[in-house]
mmCIF file of all heavy atoms in Angstrom:
data_model
loop_
_atom_site.group_PDB
_atom_site.id
_atom_site.type_symbol
_atom_site.label_atom_id
_atom_site.label_comp_id
_atom_site.label_asym_id
_atom_site.label_seq_id
_atom_site.Cartn_x
_atom_site.Cartn_y
_atom_site.Cartn_z
ATOM 1 N N SER A 619 -14.424 -21.536 -71.716
ATOM 2 C CA SER A 619 -12.981 -21.149 -71.781
ATOM 3 C C SER A 619 -12.893 -19.919 -72.716
ATOM 4 O O SER A 619 -12.055 -18.967 -72.448
ATOM 5 C CB SER A 619 -12.129 -22.284 -72.332
ATOM 6 O OG SER A 619 -12.156 -23.416 -71.512
ATOM 7 N N ALA A 620 -13.632 -19.894 -73.839
ATOM 8 C CA ALA A 620 -13.569 -18.767 -74.756
ATOM 9 C C ALA A 620 -14.096 -17.449 -74.061
ATOM 10 O O ALA A 620 -13.513 -16.405 -74.234
ATOM 11 C CB ALA A 620 -14.440 -19.057 -75.969
ATOM 12 N N LYS A 621 -15.176 -17.613 -73.251
ATOM 13 C CA LYS A 621 -15.700 -16.432 -72.518
ATOM 14 C C LYS A 621 -14.677 -15.903 -71.568
ATOM 15 O O LYS A 621 -14.468 -14.709 -71.415
ATOM 16 C CB LYS A 621 -16.943 -16.843 -71.830
ATOM 17 C CG LYS A 621 -18.141 -16.965 -72.728
ATOM 18 C CD LYS A 621 -19.462 -17.290 -71.922
ATOM 19 C CE LYS A 621 -20.654 -17.513 -72.843
ATOM 20 N NZ LYS A 621 -21.852 -17.823 -72.062
ATOM 21 N N LEU A 622 -14.059 -16.821 -70.826
ATOM 22 C CA LEU A 622 -12.998 -16.382 -69.837
ATOM 23 C C LEU A 622 -11.803 -15.706 -70.555
ATOM 24 O O LEU A 622 -11.283 -14.687 -70.031
ATOM 25 C CB LEU A 622 -12.519 -17.608 -69.051
ATOM 26 C CG LEU A 622 -13.471 -18.212 -68.040
ATOM 27 C CD1 LEU A 622 -12.934 -19.513 -67.428
ATOM 28 C CD2 LEU A 622 -13.751 -17.204 -66.927
ATOM 29 N N GLU A 623 -11.410 -16.259 -71.678
ATOM 30 C CA GLU A 623 -10.280 -15.695 -72.405
ATOM 31 C C GLU A 623 -10.651 -14.287 -72.904
ATOM 32 O O GLU A 623 -9.832 -13.311 -72.891
ATOM 33 C CB GLU A 623 -9.949 -16.538 -73.596
ATOM 34 C CG GLU A 623 -8.712 -16.058 -74.430
ATOM 35 C CD GLU A 623 -7.467 -15.958 -73.567
ATOM 36 O OE1 GLU A 623 -7.329 -16.747 -72.571
ATOM 37 O OE2 GLU A 623 -6.611 -15.077 -73.884
ATOM 38 N N LYS A 624 -11.866 -14.134 -73.358
ATOM 39 C CA LYS A 624 -12.379 -12.800 -73.832
ATOM 40 C C LYS A 624 -12.361 -11.813 -72.722
ATOM 41 O O LYS A 624 -11.956 -10.648 -72.842
ATOM 42 C CB LYS A 624 -13.788 -12.911 -74.414
ATOM 43 C CG LYS A 624 -14.307 -11.617 -74.993
ATOM 44 C CD LYS A 624 -15.681 -11.858 -75.620
ATOM 45 C CE LYS A 624 -16.200 -10.537 -76.205
ATOM 46 N NZ LYS A 624 -17.567 -10.688 -76.771
ATOM 47 N N LYS A 625 -12.825 -12.287 -71.504
ATOM 48 C CA LYS A 625 -12.794 -11.335 -70.370
ATOM 49 C C LYS A 625 -11.366 -10.999 -69.976
ATOM 50 O O LYS A 625 -11.104 -9.860 -69.566
ATOM 51 C CB LYS A 625 -13.550 -12.030 -69.184
ATOM 52 C CG LYS A 625 -15.070 -12.034 -69.389
ATOM 53 C CD LYS A 625 -15.756 -12.687 -68.167
ATOM 54 C CE LYS A 625 -17.247 -12.751 -68.348
ATOM 55 N NZ LYS A 625 -17.924 -13.333 -67.156
ATOM 56 N N ARG A 626 -10.465 -11.980 -70.009
ATOM 57 C CA ARG A 626 -9.048 -11.616 -69.701
ATOM 58 C C ARG A 626 -8.504 -10.590 -70.676
ATOM 59 O O ARG A 626 -7.778 -9.674 -70.246
ATOM 60 C CB ARG A 626 -8.199 -12.924 -69.758
ATOM 61 C CG ARG A 626 -8.533 -13.954 -68.680
ATOM 62 C CD ARG A 626 -7.434 -14.979 -68.653
ATOM 63 N NE ARG A 626 -7.811 -16.090 -67.777
ATOM 64 C CZ ARG A 626 -8.321 -17.268 -68.194
ATOM 65 N NH1 ARG A 626 -8.513 -17.448 -69.486
ATOM 66 N NH2 ARG A 626 -8.692 -18.222 -67.355
ATOM 67 N N GLN A 627 -8.813 -10.757 -71.913
ATOM 68 C CA GLN A 627 -8.302 -9.756 -72.920
ATOM 69 C C GLN A 627 -8.918 -8.376 -72.691
ATOM 70 O O GLN A 627 -8.191 -7.354 -72.795
ATOM 71 C CB GLN A 627 -8.654 -10.240 -74.339
ATOM 72 C CG GLN A 627 -7.907 -11.492 -74.756
ATOM 73 C CD GLN A 627 -8.345 -11.933 -76.211
ATOM 74 O OE1 GLN A 627 -9.228 -11.358 -76.792
ATOM 75 N NE2 GLN A 627 -7.649 -13.004 -76.647
ATOM 76 N N GLU A 628 -10.194 -8.392 -72.351
ATOM 77 C CA GLU A 628 -10.850 -7.045 -72.031
ATOM 78 C C GLU A 628 -10.209 -6.404 -70.817
ATOM 79 O O GLU A 628 -9.967 -5.193 -70.824
ATOM 80 C CB GLU A 628 -12.340 -7.285 -71.847
ATOM 81 C CG GLU A 628 -13.086 -7.606 -73.083
ATOM 82 C CD GLU A 628 -14.594 -7.935 -72.814
ATOM 83 O OE1 GLU A 628 -14.929 -8.008 -71.572
ATOM 84 O OE2 GLU A 628 -15.368 -8.091 -73.739
ATOM 85 N N ALA A 629 -9.972 -7.271 -69.827
ATOM 86 C CA ALA A 629 -9.315 -6.716 -68.588
ATOM 87 C C ALA A 629 -7.912 -6.236 -68.860
ATOM 88 O O ALA A 629 -7.448 -5.205 -68.326
ATOM 89 C CB ALA A 629 -9.278 -7.815 -67.482
ATOM 90 N N SER A 630 -7.204 -6.946 -69.743
ATOM 91 C CA SER A 630 -5.850 -6.527 -70.108
ATOM 92 C C SER A 630 -5.929 -5.203 -70.843
ATOM 93 O O SER A 630 -5.041 -4.284 -70.576
ATOM 94 C CB SER A 630 -5.202 -7.641 -70.979
ATOM 95 O OG SER A 630 -3.950 -7.186 -71.387
ATOM 96 N N GLU A 631 -6.849 -5.018 -71.740
ATOM 97 C CA GLU A 631 -6.960 -3.728 -72.490
ATOM 98 C C GLU A 631 -7.251 -2.595 -71.518
ATOM 99 O O GLU A 631 -6.755 -1.493 -71.627
ATOM 100 C CB GLU A 631 -8.036 -3.827 -73.567
ATOM 101 C CG GLU A 631 -7.683 -4.811 -74.713
ATOM 102 C CD GLU A 631 -6.428 -4.383 -75.464
ATOM 103 O OE1 GLU A 631 -6.250 -3.109 -75.614
ATOM 104 O OE2 GLU A 631 -5.629 -5.229 -75.845
ATOM 105 N N ILE A 632 -8.144 -2.889 -70.561
ATOM 106 C CA ILE A 632 -8.554 -1.879 -69.576
ATOM 107 C C ILE A 632 -7.298 -1.476 -68.756
ATOM 108 O O ILE A 632 -7.085 -0.246 -68.548
ATOM 109 C CB ILE A 632 -9.669 -2.428 -68.693
ATOM 110 C CG1 ILE A 632 -10.972 -2.567 -69.419
ATOM 111 C CG2 ILE A 632 -9.865 -1.483 -67.457
ATOM 112 C CD1 ILE A 632 -12.073 -3.212 -68.665
ATOM 113 N N MET A 633 -6.535 -2.447 -68.292
ATOM 114 C CA MET A 633 -5.377 -2.132 -67.477
ATOM 115 C C MET A 633 -4.302 -1.333 -68.287
ATOM 116 O O MET A 633 -3.647 -0.472 -67.706
ATOM 117 C CB MET A 633 -4.747 -3.455 -66.957
ATOM 118 C CG MET A 633 -5.598 -4.129 -65.903
ATOM 119 S SD MET A 633 -5.963 -3.025 -64.530
ATOM 120 C CE MET A 633 -4.355 -2.587 -63.884
ATOM 121 N N LYS A 634 -4.191 -1.602 -69.569
ATOM 122 C CA LYS A 634 -3.251 -0.871 -70.380
ATOM 123 C C LYS A 634 -3.617 0.567 -70.428
ATOM 124 O O LYS A 634 -2.741 1.553 -70.260
ATOM 125 C CB LYS A 634 -3.198 -1.463 -71.818
ATOM 126 C CG LYS A 634 -2.487 -2.764 -71.960
ATOM 127 C CD LYS A 634 -2.462 -3.179 -73.382
ATOM 128 C CE LYS A 634 -1.776 -4.566 -73.552
ATOM 129 N NZ LYS A 634 -1.797 -5.050 -74.915
ATOM 130 N N ARG A 635 -4.907 0.890 -70.586
ATOM 131 C CA ARG A 635 -5.278 2.301 -70.657
ATOM 132 C C ARG A 635 -5.276 2.929 -69.301
ATOM 133 O O ARG A 635 -4.863 4.117 -69.138
ATOM 134 C CB ARG A 635 -6.731 2.404 -71.214
ATOM 135 C CG ARG A 635 -7.174 3.859 -71.397
ATOM 136 C CD ARG A 635 -8.446 4.016 -72.141
ATOM 137 N NE ARG A 635 -8.874 5.359 -72.160
ATOM 138 C CZ ARG A 635 -10.021 5.814 -72.655
ATOM 139 N NH1 ARG A 635 -10.890 4.934 -73.204
ATOM 140 N NH2 ARG A 635 -10.319 7.107 -72.620
ATOM 141 N N VAL A 636 -5.554 2.108 -68.224
ATOM 142 C CA VAL A 636 -5.421 2.669 -66.863
ATOM 143 C C VAL A 636 -4.048 3.054 -66.592
ATOM 144 O O VAL A 636 -3.749 4.079 -65.963
ATOM 145 C CB VAL A 636 -5.953 1.594 -65.840
ATOM 146 C CG1 VAL A 636 -5.499 1.993 -64.427
ATOM 147 C CG2 VAL A 636 -7.460 1.462 -65.914
ATOM 148 N N ASP A 637 -3.076 2.190 -66.986
ATOM 149 C CA ASP A 637 -1.667 2.521 -66.775
ATOM 150 C C ASP A 637 -1.271 3.795 -67.513
ATOM 151 O O ASP A 637 -0.506 4.619 -66.963
ATOM 152 C CB ASP A 637 -0.761 1.354 -67.323
ATOM 153 C CG ASP A 637 -0.872 0.092 -66.381
ATOM 154 O OD1 ASP A 637 -1.290 0.295 -65.234
ATOM 155 O OD2 ASP A 637 -0.561 -1.024 -66.841
ATOM 156 N N THR A 638 -1.800 3.971 -68.689
ATOM 157 C CA THR A 638 -1.488 5.189 -69.485
ATOM 158 C C THR A 638 -1.994 6.457 -68.752
ATOM 159 O O THR A 638 -1.306 7.439 -68.654
ATOM 160 C CB THR A 638 -2.179 5.135 -70.903
ATOM 161 O OG1 THR A 638 -1.659 3.927 -71.557
ATOM 162 C CG2 THR A 638 -1.809 6.327 -71.707
ATOM 163 N N ILE A 639 -3.258 6.333 -68.267
ATOM 164 C CA ILE A 639 -3.838 7.510 -67.505
ATOM 165 C C ILE A 639 -3.119 7.768 -66.252
ATOM 166 O O ILE A 639 -2.851 8.942 -65.849
ATOM 167 C CB ILE A 639 -5.356 7.161 -67.219
ATOM 168 C CG1 ILE A 639 -6.100 7.049 -68.522
ATOM 169 C CG2 ILE A 639 -5.932 8.343 -66.352
ATOM 170 C CD1 ILE A 639 -7.552 6.655 -68.367
ATOM 171 N N LEU A 640 -2.671 6.684 -65.511
ATOM 172 C CA LEU A 640 -1.897 6.864 -64.321
ATOM 173 C C LEU A 640 -0.534 7.545 -64.582
ATOM 174 O O LEU A 640 -0.099 8.402 -63.793
ATOM 175 C CB LEU A 640 -1.715 5.525 -63.598
ATOM 176 C CG LEU A 640 -2.921 4.888 -62.990
ATOM 177 C CD1 LEU A 640 -2.609 3.552 -62.438
ATOM 178 C CD2 LEU A 640 -3.587 5.800 -61.910
ATOM 179 N N ASP A 641 0.064 7.175 -65.697
ATOM 180 C CA ASP A 641 1.323 7.833 -66.099
ATOM 181 C C ASP A 641 1.083 9.326 -66.308
ATOM 182 O O ASP A 641 1.889 10.160 -65.956
ATOM 183 C CB ASP A 641 1.898 7.198 -67.332
ATOM 184 C CG ASP A 641 2.483 5.779 -67.053
ATOM 185 O OD1 ASP A 641 2.695 5.486 -65.892
ATOM 186 O OD2 ASP A 641 2.563 5.009 -68.002
ATOM 187 N N LYS A 642 -0.067 9.615 -66.958
ATOM 188 C CA LYS A 642 -0.415 11.016 -67.252
ATOM 189 C C LYS A 642 -0.650 11.767 -65.972
ATOM 190 O O LYS A 642 -0.236 12.929 -65.747
ATOM 191 C CB LYS A 642 -1.636 11.104 -68.087
ATOM 192 C CG LYS A 642 -1.995 12.516 -68.668
ATOM 193 C CD LYS A 642 -3.273 12.457 -69.433
ATOM 194 C CE LYS A 642 -3.200 11.665 -70.672
ATOM 195 N NZ LYS A 642 -4.454 11.764 -71.478
ATOM 196 N N ILE A 643 -1.292 11.116 -64.965
ATOM 197 C CA ILE A 643 -1.544 11.753 -63.678
ATOM 198 C C ILE A 643 -0.189 12.041 -62.976
ATOM 199 O O ILE A 643 -0.053 13.155 -62.343
ATOM 200 C CB ILE A 643 -2.418 10.861 -62.808
ATOM 201 C CG1 ILE A 643 -3.837 10.745 -63.376
ATOM 202 C CG2 ILE A 643 -2.444 11.351 -61.312
ATOM 203 C CD1 ILE A 643 -4.734 9.738 -62.626
ATOM 204 N N ASN A 644 0.765 11.160 -63.091
ATOM 205 C CA ASN A 644 2.066 11.415 -62.469
ATOM 206 C C ASN A 644 2.756 12.615 -63.078
ATOM 207 O O ASN A 644 3.533 13.315 -62.441
ATOM 208 C CB ASN A 644 2.933 10.176 -62.599
ATOM 209 C CG ASN A 644 2.444 9.057 -61.704
ATOM 210 O OD1 ASN A 644 1.852 9.269 -60.666
ATOM 211 N ND2 ASN A 644 2.747 7.787 -62.110
ATOM 212 N N GLU A 645 2.465 12.867 -64.392
ATOM 213 C CA GLU A 645 3.169 13.943 -65.085
ATOM 214 C C GLU A 645 2.468 15.290 -64.836
ATOM 215 O O GLU A 645 3.104 16.283 -64.561
ATOM 216 C CB GLU A 645 3.182 13.605 -66.563
ATOM 217 C CG GLU A 645 4.076 12.484 -66.975
ATOM 218 C CD GLU A 645 3.981 12.209 -68.461
ATOM 219 O OE1 GLU A 645 3.318 12.999 -69.198
ATOM 220 O OE2 GLU A 645 4.590 11.222 -68.894
ATOM 221 N N VAL A 646 1.106 15.314 -64.940
ATOM 222 C CA VAL A 646 0.418 16.605 -64.913
ATOM 223 C C VAL A 646 -0.492 16.774 -63.649
ATOM 224 O O VAL A 646 -1.040 17.880 -63.499
ATOM 225 C CB VAL A 646 -0.387 16.821 -66.167
ATOM 226 C CG1 VAL A 646 0.486 16.750 -67.396
ATOM 227 C CG2 VAL A 646 -1.506 15.711 -66.234
ATOM 228 N N GLY A 647 -0.699 15.690 -62.892
ATOM 229 C CA GLY A 647 -1.593 15.743 -61.770
ATOM 230 C C GLY A 647 -3.038 15.364 -62.119
ATOM 231 O O GLY A 647 -3.437 15.586 -63.276
ATOM 232 N N ILE A 648 -3.762 14.835 -61.167
ATOM 233 C CA ILE A 648 -5.140 14.304 -61.427
ATOM 234 C C ILE A 648 -6.091 15.359 -61.813
ATOM 235 O O ILE A 648 -7.071 15.148 -62.550
ATOM 236 C CB ILE A 648 -5.667 13.494 -60.190
ATOM 237 C CG1 ILE A 648 -6.915 12.740 -60.545
ATOM 238 C CG2 ILE A 648 -5.937 14.493 -59.048
ATOM 239 C CD1 ILE A 648 -7.339 11.764 -59.523
ATOM 240 N N GLU A 649 -5.853 16.622 -61.335
ATOM 241 C CA GLU A 649 -6.821 17.703 -61.605
ATOM 242 C C GLU A 649 -6.681 18.163 -63.084
ATOM 243 O O GLU A 649 -7.557 18.870 -63.641
ATOM 244 C CB GLU A 649 -6.557 18.926 -60.704
ATOM 245 C CG GLU A 649 -5.234 19.676 -60.878
ATOM 246 C CD GLU A 649 -4.108 18.957 -60.138
ATOM 247 O OE1 GLU A 649 -4.419 17.915 -59.469
ATOM 248 O OE2 GLU A 649 -2.986 19.421 -60.137
ATOM 249 N N ASN A 650 -5.636 17.721 -63.768
ATOM 250 C CA ASN A 650 -5.396 18.215 -65.163
ATOM 251 C C ASN A 650 -5.720 17.173 -66.240
ATOM 252 O O ASN A 650 -5.542 17.416 -67.400
ATOM 253 C CB ASN A 650 -3.947 18.630 -65.324
ATOM 254 C CG ASN A 650 -3.660 19.895 -64.521
ATOM 255 O OD1 ASN A 650 -4.442 20.844 -64.453
ATOM 256 N ND2 ASN A 650 -2.451 19.925 -63.833
ATOM 257 N N ILE A 651 -6.186 15.970 -65.845
ATOM 258 C CA ILE A 651 -6.597 14.990 -66.808
ATOM 259 C C ILE A 651 -8.024 15.282 -67.280
ATOM 260 O O ILE A 651 -8.780 15.912 -66.572
ATOM 261 C CB ILE A 651 -6.515 13.586 -66.256
ATOM 262 C CG1 ILE A 651 -7.476 13.357 -65.123
ATOM 263 C CG2 ILE A 651 -5.073 13.231 -65.852
ATOM 264 C CD1 ILE A 651 -7.564 11.879 -64.606
ATOM 265 N N SER A 652 -8.394 14.730 -68.424
ATOM 266 C CA SER A 652 -9.675 14.986 -69.002
ATOM 267 C C SER A 652 -10.800 14.337 -68.274
ATOM 268 O O SER A 652 -10.627 13.346 -67.504
ATOM 269 C CB SER A 652 -9.710 14.559 -70.488
ATOM 270 O OG SER A 652 -9.610 13.188 -70.554
ATOM 271 N N LYS A 653 -12.065 14.833 -68.471
ATOM 272 C CA LYS A 653 -13.223 14.199 -67.885
ATOM 273 C C LYS A 653 -13.427 12.734 -68.384
ATOM 274 O O LYS A 653 -13.850 11.861 -67.672
ATOM 275 C CB LYS A 653 -14.476 15.019 -68.200
ATOM 276 C CG LYS A 653 -14.567 16.345 -67.540
ATOM 277 C CD LYS A 653 -15.859 17.075 -67.843
ATOM 278 C CE LYS A 653 -15.951 18.421 -67.056
ATOM 279 N NZ LYS A 653 -17.244 19.104 -67.424
ATOM 280 N N ALA A 654 -13.037 12.565 -69.613
ATOM 281 C CA ALA A 654 -13.187 11.224 -70.241
ATOM 282 C C ALA A 654 -12.252 10.262 -69.536
ATOM 283 O O ALA A 654 -12.653 9.048 -69.252
ATOM 284 C CB ALA A 654 -12.846 11.280 -71.719
ATOM 285 N N ASP A 655 -11.048 10.691 -69.231
ATOM 286 C CA ASP A 655 -10.124 9.809 -68.508
ATOM 287 C C ASP A 655 -10.565 9.545 -67.093
ATOM 288 O O ASP A 655 -10.435 8.374 -66.622
ATOM 289 C CB ASP A 655 -8.708 10.479 -68.489
ATOM 290 C CG ASP A 655 -8.009 10.392 -69.848
ATOM 291 O OD1 ASP A 655 -8.445 9.553 -70.659
ATOM 292 O OD2 ASP A 655 -7.049 11.173 -70.037
ATOM 293 N N ARG A 656 -11.145 10.523 -66.477
ATOM 294 C CA ARG A 656 -11.645 10.321 -65.064
ATOM 295 C C ARG A 656 -12.764 9.301 -65.076
ATOM 296 O O ARG A 656 -12.858 8.381 -64.233
ATOM 297 C CB ARG A 656 -12.085 11.649 -64.496
ATOM 298 C CG ARG A 656 -10.998 12.603 -64.130
ATOM 299 C CD ARG A 656 -11.572 13.778 -63.407
ATOM 300 N NE ARG A 656 -10.509 14.731 -63.060
ATOM 301 C CZ ARG A 656 -10.645 15.818 -62.297
ATOM 302 N NH1 ARG A 656 -11.860 16.049 -61.789
ATOM 303 N NH2 ARG A 656 -9.628 16.609 -62.044
ATOM 304 N N LYS A 657 -13.670 9.540 -66.029
ATOM 305 C CA LYS A 657 -14.849 8.588 -66.137
ATOM 306 C C LYS A 657 -14.351 7.119 -66.435
ATOM 307 O O LYS A 657 -14.894 6.185 -65.880
ATOM 308 C CB LYS A 657 -15.806 9.048 -67.187
ATOM 309 C CG LYS A 657 -17.078 8.151 -67.228
ATOM 310 C CD LYS A 657 -18.204 8.835 -67.977
ATOM 311 C CE LYS A 657 -19.510 8.037 -67.843
ATOM 312 N NZ LYS A 657 -19.397 6.615 -67.891
ATOM 313 N N PHE A 658 -13.329 7.071 -67.326
ATOM 314 C CA PHE A 658 -12.815 5.732 -67.651
ATOM 315 C C PHE A 658 -12.224 5.035 -66.426
ATOM 316 O O PHE A 658 -12.435 3.825 -66.220
ATOM 317 C CB PHE A 658 -11.756 5.815 -68.719
ATOM 318 C CG PHE A 658 -11.229 4.481 -69.166
ATOM 319 C CD1 PHE A 658 -11.912 3.757 -70.122
ATOM 320 C CD2 PHE A 658 -10.095 3.981 -68.590
ATOM 321 C CE1 PHE A 658 -11.441 2.498 -70.496
ATOM 322 C CE2 PHE A 658 -9.582 2.730 -68.991
ATOM 323 C CZ PHE A 658 -10.314 2.001 -69.942
ATOM 324 N N LEU A 659 -11.442 5.812 -65.606
ATOM 325 C CA LEU A 659 -10.981 5.266 -64.349
ATOM 326 C C LEU A 659 -12.087 4.784 -63.418
ATOM 327 O O LEU A 659 -11.929 3.684 -62.805
ATOM 328 C CB LEU A 659 -10.061 6.323 -63.627
ATOM 329 C CG LEU A 659 -8.699 6.548 -64.269
ATOM 330 C CD1 LEU A 659 -8.016 7.696 -63.498
ATOM 331 C CD2 LEU A 659 -7.867 5.271 -64.242
ATOM 332 N N GLU A 660 -13.148 5.498 -63.265
ATOM 333 C CA GLU A 660 -14.232 5.089 -62.405
ATOM 334 C C GLU A 660 -14.909 3.828 -62.955
ATOM 335 O O GLU A 660 -15.182 2.902 -62.202
ATOM 336 C CB GLU A 660 -15.306 6.236 -62.329
ATOM 337 C CG GLU A 660 -14.777 7.497 -61.628
ATOM 338 C CD GLU A 660 -15.743 8.633 -61.662
ATOM 339 O OE1 GLU A 660 -16.805 8.413 -62.283
ATOM 340 O OE2 GLU A 660 -15.495 9.712 -61.086
ATOM 341 N N ASP A 661 -15.154 3.881 -64.289
ATOM 342 C CA ASP A 661 -15.802 2.681 -64.936
ATOM 343 C C ASP A 661 -14.893 1.425 -64.822
ATOM 344 O O ASP A 661 -15.350 0.326 -64.513
ATOM 345 C CB ASP A 661 -16.168 2.949 -66.344
ATOM 346 C CG ASP A 661 -17.204 3.980 -66.510
ATOM 347 O OD1 ASP A 661 -17.931 4.300 -65.494
ATOM 348 O OD2 ASP A 661 -17.368 4.552 -67.608
#
């Protein structure tokens, strides 16, 4: 149960950053986001 909860928290943190990057893409376009953000989306 602890492992599952840890994975859920990790997934939640990932989705929060993904949402932030997606908002940035909506504002400036995907070609203008950083390489780090692109790699994070892929990972």
Side-chain angles (χ1 to χ4, degrees):
S619 298
K621 287 181 180 180
L622 288 174
E623 183 59 30
K624 184 178 180 181
K625 287 182 179 180
R626 290 192 191 100
Q627 292 177 357
E628 290 175 351
S630 178
E631 293 298 323
I632 291 173
M633 289 305 300
K634 286 180 182 179
R635 186 170 175 186
V636 167
D637 289 340
T638 301
I639 296 173
L640 291 176
D641 290 340
K642 189 185 295 185
I643 291 174
N644 289 332
E645 292 177 4
V646 301
I648 192 170
E649 67 277 0
N650 294 318
I651 65 173
S652 66
K653 290 183 178 180
D655 286 341
R656 288 187 181 187
K657 184 163 189 320
F658 183 84
L659 285 175
E660 293 174 359
D661 293 343

